Amino acid sequence: MSEHRIAVIKDDGIGIEVIEEGIKVRDAAGTEHGITWQFTELPWASDYYFKHGHMMPSDGLDTLSEFDAIFLGAVGVPEIQDHITLSGLLLPIRRSFDQYVCERPSVLYPGIDSPLKDKQAGDIDMVTVRENTEGEYADVGGFQYTGFDQEMGVQVGLFTRKGCERLITYAFELARRRDKKRLVTSITKSNALGYGMIVWDRSFEAVAERYPDIETNSLLIDAACMDFIRKPEDFDVIAASNLFGDILTDIGAIITGSMGLAPSGNIDPERRFPSMFEPVHGSAPDIMGKGIANPMAAILSAAMMMRRLGDDNTADSVELAVLRTLELGETLTPDLGGTSTTAQVGDAVVSALS
Ligand code: GGG
């Protein structure tokens, strides 16, 4: 019997609703497979900010470091500027725990209509590996002349050889492990960003040399956006910088049916720190509290977490239960054309486990 200690941060918005269903499914799957999950809910994010002026306590990262993994819902409310919520919680966790890989699969599942013409289940099956600790989201920059008409903001895109190579190496290893198209596509913009993205390109070329069995391709981000729509079936593993990966994975989510189906893992491949699992979607304040948010992205993120913790069988059965629920098509939330509630979808996935 294995036991895992999981820190749960549900807030904000629909994060609360979807994480509850993720826990429901995880508990049921754990019972079936003899795994105990010890959840500790940490009431952080925007409500905490309203009370204390910051998104988590000053020793929040120390607290999190004691856990095996972090399961997070969403952050962001209309009353607080997004850069405060992101910089106060998500980004420090990703950076401090060196979760330098953000793995985001985009798969067209059975029973799902892609907005793209003639795409069948399985036609789209790719994983974007997003650099998660530096690049365009590096914590480097500053303001000057604040309050004057020449107000200035400097935002530094930081591309280190080590940072690029370790991320790209993960992408190549993943292409090998998946053993599908055995193709890694690099997303660049070195025609315009002639410093950082040149380091990115050089890193890609250097790593590619170590993987003669894996095909490679390099696309400018603008061409990649077109090709995600035009011929998504051509992709396998995509290596992208922090910003480009963030943008591309929203396209990846929407061409495979819904943001409500897109899971993600912020991973420290070296296992020195807890990794963090969260749906790609945000807090969606427009549908918050209505009970109609799709919990499948959170449930699939829980499955990614189980896989990371070594519980492959449990992860397989949760993923299969989601697939069965989608294929049946009887219990779906409105984003997938259904009329079911968040909790009903969670229950349906639990029933499909057996
Ligand atoms: N599910 C996590 C969440 O709330 N994400 C919102 C967001 O803006 N994320 C930006 C990012 O992933 O970098």
Side-chain angles (χ1 to χ4, degrees), residues 4-299:
H4 303 301
R5 291 160 306 146
I6 313 290
V8 179
I9 306 173
K10 293 180 183 169
D11 292 83
D12 297 314
I14 62 166
I16 302 166
E17 303 151 51
V18 298
I19 290 299
E20 273 163 16
E21 298 314 306
I23 291 173
K24 185 194 283 178
V25 173
R26 222 170 30 180
D27 274 346
T31 307
E32 240 173 54
H33 291 266
I35 295 161
T36 311
W37 311 92
Q38 248 185 46
F39 302 117
T40 303
E41 194 177 332
L42 302 167
W44 300 348
S46 297
D47 273 346
Y48 191 91
Y49 182 90
F50 290 129
K51 284 186 204 130
H52 304 280
H54 30 257
M55 297 286 288
M56 63 174 154
S58 54
D59 62 353
L61 293 169
D62 290 338
T63 303
L64 286 174
S65 69
E66 300 297 320
F67 290 90
D68 298 320
I70 305 161
F71 190 33
L72 181 129
V75 288
V77 292
E79 297 80 12
I80 309 175
Q81 286 175 312
D82 278 343
H83 73 93
I84 294 175
T85 50
L86 221 58
S87 303
L89 191 75
L90 271 189
L91 300 187
I93 294 174
R94 290 175 184 168
R95 287 191 203 113
S96 304
F97 296 143
D98 210 13
Q99 297 166 345
Y100 64 85
V101 171
C102 182
E103 196 178 312
R104 294 184 162 184
S106 307
V107 182
L108 184 55
Y109 290 116
I112 298 298
D113 283 332
S114 168
L116 303 181
K117 204 168 141 218
D118 299 333
K119 298 291 178 238
Q120 310 299 324
D123 285 352
I124 308 174
D125 184 350
M126 56 190 176
V127 185
T128 301
V129 176
R130 167 191 178 191
E131 200 293 317
N132 216 25
T133 53
E134 54 176 51
E136 308 86 343
Y137 289 23
D139 192 18
V140 183
F143 294 111
Q144 177 109 344
Y145 307 123
T146 307
F148 294 90
D149 56 5
Q150 70 269 41
E151 180 174 359
M152 187 181 90
V154 176
Q155 189 84 48
V156 175
L158 182 75
F159 292 83
T160 65
R161 188 74 185 232
K162 181 180 173 185
C164 297
E165 283 198 10
R166 64 184 187 169
L167 181 277
I168 292 164
T169 301
Y170 186 94
F172 275 88
E173 289 292 332
L174 182 60
R176 255 189 198 162
R177 245 186 358 260
R178 277 165 60 83
D179 201 17
K180 294 197 170 174
K181 293 193 174 68
R182 296 176 79 86
L183 165 70
V184 179
T185 303
S186 162
I187 309 300
T188 184
K189 191 63 191 176
S190 50
N191 58 343
L193 306 176
Y195 302 106
M197 278 288 158
I198 296 288
V199 171
W200 173 273
D201 287 356
R202 286 181 188 146
S203 305
F204 189 76
E205 282 158 25
V207 175
E209 273 185 21
R210 304 202 314 262
Y211 293 87
D213 54 317
I214 304 292
E215 257 189 79
T216 61
N217 191 13
S218 177
L219 286 177
L220 295 174
I221 176 63
D222 34 335
C225 288
M226 279 195 302
D227 284 354
F228 260 47
I229 308 287
R230 212 160 51 123
K231 42 180 186 175
E233 58 279 6
D234 281 6
F235 290 94
D236 179 15
V237 175
I238 298 112
S241 67
N242 216 327
L243 176 64
F244 293 167
D246 195 10
I247 295 168
L248 274 179
T249 50
D250 270 26
I251 302 179
I254 223 64
I255 60 173
T256 51
S258 170
M259 288 302 293
L261 288 175
S264 82
N266 303 276
I267 296 165
D268 161 28
E270 278 85 49
R271 298 179 186 276
R272 297 155 295 170
F273 306 104
S275 292
M276 174 168 69
F277 298 83
E278 54 170 324
V280 171
H281 64 70
S283 55
D286 53 328
I287 57 164
M288 158 191 183
K290 294 187 177 166
I292 56 166
N294 189 344
M296 286 180 170
I299 295 168

